[in-house]
Amino acid sequence: MKYGFIIDNRKCIGCHACTTACKSEHDVAVGVNRTYVKQVEKGEFPNTRRIFSVMRCNHCTDAPCVEICPVEALFIREDGIVDFDNNRCIGCKSCMQACPYDALYIDPETHTAAKCNYCAHRVDVGREPACVSVCPEHAIIAGDMDNPNTEISQLLARQAVKVRKPEKGTNPNLFYIDGDESSLNPEATAKSGPGLWNSQARGVGHFAKAAEKMLHTNDDVDLLQMSIDNEMQAAYQRKDSENPNYIDVLSGKARRVYDTPDKGILWGWEVSAYVFTKAIAAGAFLIPFLAILLGYEISDTAKLWSVGISLVGLALTGLFLVMDLDRPDRFLNVLLRPQWNSWLVKGGYTITIFGLLVTLWGVNTWFNLGIPEMPLLWVTAVFAVLLAIYTAFLFAQAKGRDFWQSPTLPLHMLVHSVMAGVAIFVLASLIFGNEDWMSMLKITLIVALGVNLFSLVTELTITHPSTAAHTVVEMITKGRYKNLFWIGVVLIGNIIPLALLVFAPSATMLTVSAILVLIGIYVTEKIWVEAPQRIPLA
């Protein structure tokens, strides 16, 4: 048995009965949807048409949301339905990043993820999903695709059907008859401007608090006027032929006229900060370890500083991770109820084990316990490298974000850890005094900056597999992030420090370079985390 959906676009009239029935059946909050009807206009006047496309969870055979979920809140039933258990969900939003179809949302009431679950409670008692029952045109067909006697199985055998984003390899089980690419592909049309139907009413997750505050401090008249003003502004923008986002149905270009609310940036500054502090925690161990391997004498003071900086970095990393959760009260579920395919779980255990090993090294150094140091350092180094790079594999599991699929992302994060480790020890040496290995720190930083520049060039110039990834590159180098990238990342974070280290070598310039490098690392992580999330998924 394998349940699936067919949306027959030959019949859909865009009445939104399915949206309403879904909201009623599952008590879906205002501002979010489990299913909705996207509307796109295309053609050239007077030969125009409006396309209606029902959007929802695709109940994929290889569901990336299930793979990335760290606590098994999402799971695939034996009948193929991708269901969820909001009693386990920690609100990490990983599933929302992994889903290429933008099918999940954070419930503003429970602060847990939610989506279409095929009305599993109805199916279990022999009834159809609510949207199927209510559709007046029988445009939504559901059933067992493995049973040749069912309507859906027969339609799949007779009709040419389309799925959304087949290149993602998720094997979706939501099919469209007469599906139109301008509607099914979010990149075929520009995002709609602000309006009554596409503005997030209550925010998403922990961002809902700010939105609710606004709702309580403005009366209904002000809110209505605000919505009308937004709609008028969007109308004027559409009329402005000099606007780069100008889309006019008279020109024959497709345009969205009814769309899902924009969920905005799901992983905000907390994730950028967590990647930054994690790089410091890993680098603060890797640099002394490298110095010991090269034969430098490292004082016990430097070793204890290494332990202290690593543990503080880990503590801040854990703090930022918990702050980003919409259910921070459940953060221990990552360790106590793990789903081992998720790199969020692997990362959680990597953080824990690395912290224990570093602590053991510090205790061994302080109390001179006699534990053989080199075997302990080698084991700790393995986990330090894993700590540095595991987020690259977590981002790779977020299949909805094409730019994060870069094969150079592990190198990007490893070299950032080395740069951060050198920079933090250059600054720390101002407190505990110069060490014999300062020359090594300088050379290591020069090499790391060179590798980092190579990594940046590679990530931004390789042939990207999708227009979404290419759009992110354009956004970084020529769009909204161009000043932050060229000034903050390239100039301040790389070129100036490299020039100072090569052409004006001195202790003061090394310190200045360390500060600039740390600034550049944080700015880079901010851009790399935020920019891909600005590409619409639906």
Side-chain angles (χ1 to χ4, degrees), residues 153-264:
S153 179
Q154 293 171 6
L155 281 172
L156 288 172
R158 295 198 309 264
Q159 300 290 337
V161 294
K162 285 186 177 180
V163 296
R164 294 164 64 195
K165 302 183 182 179
E167 70 278 3
K168 290 296 182 180
T170 62
N171 295 315
N173 294 309
L174 172 63
F175 304 90
Y176 293 87
I177 296 176
D178 198 23
D180 193 288
E181 190 67 15
S182 62
S183 180
L184 301 183
N185 181 4
E187 298 165 33
T189 53
K191 293 178 66 174
S192 305
L196 289 172
W197 309 120
N198 50 27
S199 296
Q200 188 73 43
R202 302 188 60 186
V204 174
H206 54 244
F207 300 107
K209 295 178 181 178
E212 287 176 358
K213 182 177 180 181
M214 184 196 73
L215 286 171
H216 290 306
T217 55
N218 295 275
D219 57 34
D220 292 340
V221 175
D222 291 337
L223 289 174
L224 178 60
Q225 187 61 50
M226 187 188 306
S227 297
I228 293 172
D229 291 344
N230 287 339
E231 185 66 19
M232 291 177 65
Q233 180 184 3
Y236 282 121
Q237 287 177 346
R238 287 195 293 269
K239 291 179 181 178
D240 183 3
S241 59
E242 295 181 358
N243 190 319
N245 295 322
Y246 171 74
I247 298 176
D248 189 349
V249 72
L250 296 178
S251 70
K253 296 180 180 178
R255 67 186 185 116
R256 303 184 203 177
V257 294
Y258 195 108
D259 201 4
T260 183
D262 186 356
K263 297 183 177 69

Side-chain angles (χ1 to χ4, degrees), residues 18-279:
C18 53
T19 305
T20 305
C22 180
K23 278 186 170 288
S24 177
E25 184 72 27
H26 299 281
D27 196 21
V28 178
V30 173
V32 290
N33 299 288
R34 294 190 178 193
T35 186
Y36 68 98
V37 183
K38 179 180 177 182
Q39 297 181 13
V40 170
E41 289 178 348
K42 65 180 298 188
E44 186 173 351
F45 184 83
N47 300 312
T48 63
R49 65 179 293 209
R50 178 170 287 182
I51 302 163
F52 307 110
S53 298
V54 178
M55 300 292 185
R56 57 154 63 104
C57 173
N58 284 231
H59 295 278
C60 305
T61 301
D62 299 307
C65 61
V66 173
E67 181 183 30
I68 202 173
C69 178
V71 292
E72 290 187 324
L74 285 151
F75 56 95
I76 301 177
R77 301 188 351 161
E78 291 184 0
D79 54 14
I81 295 174
V82 180
D83 206 347
F84 63 91
D85 180 0
N86 61 10
N87 292 318
R88 299 177 72 102
C89 179
I90 61 175
C92 66
K93 301 175 288 293
S94 297
C95 55
M96 299 172 69
Q97 304 285 21
C99 177
Y101 313 107
D102 200 23
L104 293 109
Y105 63 91
I106 294 293
D107 189 316
E109 302 293 343
T110 64
H111 303 287
T112 58
K115 69 173 191 67
C116 161
N117 72 332
Y118 208 92
C119 285
H121 62 291
R122 293 171 62 97
V123 171
D124 287 342
V125 295
R127 302 178 68 187
E128 293 180 319
C131 58
V132 176
S133 298
V134 79
C135 180
E137 296 296 319
H138 193 53
I140 306 176
I141 298 94
D144 180 9
M145 298 181 296
D146 284 348
N147 184 349
N149 297 319
T150 59
E151 181 183 9
I152 188 172
S153 179
Q154 293 171 6
L155 281 172
L156 288 172
R158 295 198 309 264
Q159 300 290 337
V161 294
K162 285 186 177 180
V163 296
R164 294 164 64 195
K165 302 183 182 179
E167 70 278 3
K168 290 296 182 180
T170 62
N171 295 315
N173 294 309
L174 172 63
F175 304 90
Y176 293 87
I177 296 176
D178 198 23
D180 193 288
E181 190 67 15
S182 62
S183 180
L184 301 183
N185 181 4
E187 298 165 33
T189 53
K191 293 178 66 174
S192 305
L196 289 172
W197 309 120
N198 50 27
S199 296
Q200 188 73 43
R202 302 188 60 186
V204 174
H206 54 244
F207 300 107
K209 295 178 181 178
E212 287 176 358
K213 182 177 180 181
M214 184 196 73
L215 286 171
H216 290 306
T217 55
N218 295 275
D219 57 34
D220 292 340
V221 175
D222 291 337
L223 289 174
L224 178 60
Q225 187 61 50
M226 187 188 306
S227 297
I228 293 172
D229 291 344
N230 287 339
E231 185 66 19
M232 291 177 65
Q233 180 184 3
Y236 282 121
Q237 287 177 346
R238 287 195 293 269
K239 291 179 181 178
D240 183 3
S241 59
E242 295 181 358
N243 190 319
N245 295 322
Y246 171 74
I247 298 176
D248 189 349
V249 72
L250 296 178
S251 70
K253 296 180 180 178
R255 67 186 185 116
R256 303 184 203 177
V257 294
Y258 195 108
D259 201 4
T260 183
D262 186 356
K263 297 183 177 69
I265 301 297
L266 302 174
W267 284 347
W269 70 268
E270 299 96 336
V271 173
S272 303
Y274 128 75
V275 176
F276 176 69
T277 55
K278 183 170 66 68

Side-chain angles (χ1 to χ4, degrees), residues 461-533:
T461 60
I462 60 173
T463 301
H464 294 281
S466 70
T467 55
H470 180 72
T471 301
V472 173
V473 173
E474 293 287 311
M475 194 186 306
I476 293 172
T477 58
K478 302 177 183 178
R480 68 184 297 159
Y481 291 100
K482 64 179 180 181
N483 293 333
L484 201 57
F485 173 72
W486 290 110
I487 297 175
V489 175
V490 177
L491 189 61
I492 295 177
N494 287 272
I495 299 298
I496 293 178
L498 192 58
L500 291 176
L501 293 171
V502 173
F503 300 109
S506 68
T508 301
M509 291 300 100
L510 183 58
T511 302
V512 172
S513 298
I515 295 172
L516 295 180
V517 162
L518 290 174
I519 293 172
I521 292 173
Y522 180 77
V523 174
T524 304
E525 302 305 357
K526 174 182 170 60
I527 296 173
W528 256 244
V529 169
E530 281 189 14
Q533 297 183 70

